[in-house]
Amino acid sequence: MLKKICSSIALVSLLFSCSSDKDSDSMDTSPSAIIGTWDATELVIDNNTASDDAKFGKQILDFLTNEDCYIITLQFNEDLTAEASNGANFVEVNATANGLDVPCPTESDTESSTYTFDGSVVSIVDMSGETINVDVSIQGDLMTVDAADLEIPNFDDSGELIFRRR
């Protein structure tokens, strides 16, 4: 399960690139578009149809992102290696007199893999040799991925996961 999560995260990272686009409205389909470090910053869901788990995942991600805490990070390198860091398993929600408190996790699960990116699909080979394909779109410094493809608990029910390049 952890391998699938990390692999999925790595795939999402491939959507973002280190190349600079002067026209941020156009899709970047160059193979180098994915190179760089990408942080999950938003889960876009339909509140009318999304599960309670998806809504809760969105709230936690929004809260942590507003605190400059990124629990899912993908790094795609020029040598076609990738690393995924996922702190979702280490998120703690604490009830306080002022409401809920969600500290930024200090731990994360990390997995390394290899990848290819053809401009619209990132293919990641996980540690067990299984290939995972994820459709991505990159516009400027934003990468969008169908959250259902990622298999990350609370983020895989519905919607799109948005990553921002550092």
Side-chain angles (χ1 to χ4, degrees):
M1 176 69 163
L2 174 61
K3 291 179 185 179
K4 284 190 175 190
I5 290 172
C6 291
S7 296
S8 297
I9 292 172
L11 288 176
V12 173
S13 294
L14 292 178
L15 296 176
F16 290 100
S17 71
C18 290
S19 66
S20 61
D21 288 337
K22 292 183 180 177
D23 180 7
S24 64
D25 291 335
S26 66
M27 297 295 216
D28 189 348
T29 59
S30 66
S32 64
I34 199 76
I35 297 171
T37 301
W38 302 89
D39 298 312
T41 58
E42 182 179 5
L43 178 63
V44 178
I45 59 173
D46 181 346
N47 279 322
N48 295 321
T49 60
S51 70
D52 289 341
D53 285 343
K55 291 176 184 177
F56 185 66
K58 176 183 176 28
Q59 289 175 342
I60 297 298
L61 185 62
D62 289 348
F63 179 86
L64 291 172
T65 298
N66 286 335
E67 300 293 319
D68 292 326
C69 174
Y70 306 104
I71 59 171
I72 302 171
T73 299
L74 304 173
Q75 172 70 46
F76 295 93
N77 302 309
E78 289 183 36
D79 65 358
L80 302 180
T81 60
E83 185 171 294
S85 176
N86 178 5
N89 291 331
F90 302 97
V91 171
E92 294 180 16
V93 179
N94 303 311
T96 68
N98 297 328
L100 295 179
D101 178 43
V102 184
C104 189
T106 57
E107 296 180 71
S108 63
D109 296 317
T110 304
E111 184 173 327
S112 298
S113 62
T114 60
Y115 76 93
T116 59
F117 180 61
D118 70 2
S120 64
V121 176
V122 64
S123 299
I124 295 179
V125 179
D126 66 16
M127 294 180 70
S128 66
E130 183 179 333
T131 300
I132 300 169
N133 297 309
V134 176
D135 292 329
V136 301
S137 64
I138 298 173
Q139 285 186 291
D141 288 334
L142 295 178
M143 176 173 62
T144 304
V145 167
D146 183 347
D149 291 344
L150 298 180
E151 300 179 10
I152 301 170
N154 294 331
F155 297 101
D156 65 350
D157 188 39
S158 62
E160 297 176 324
L161 196 54
I162 309 298
F163 287 80
R164 181 171 298 278
R165 184 176 42 227
R166 288 187 192 171

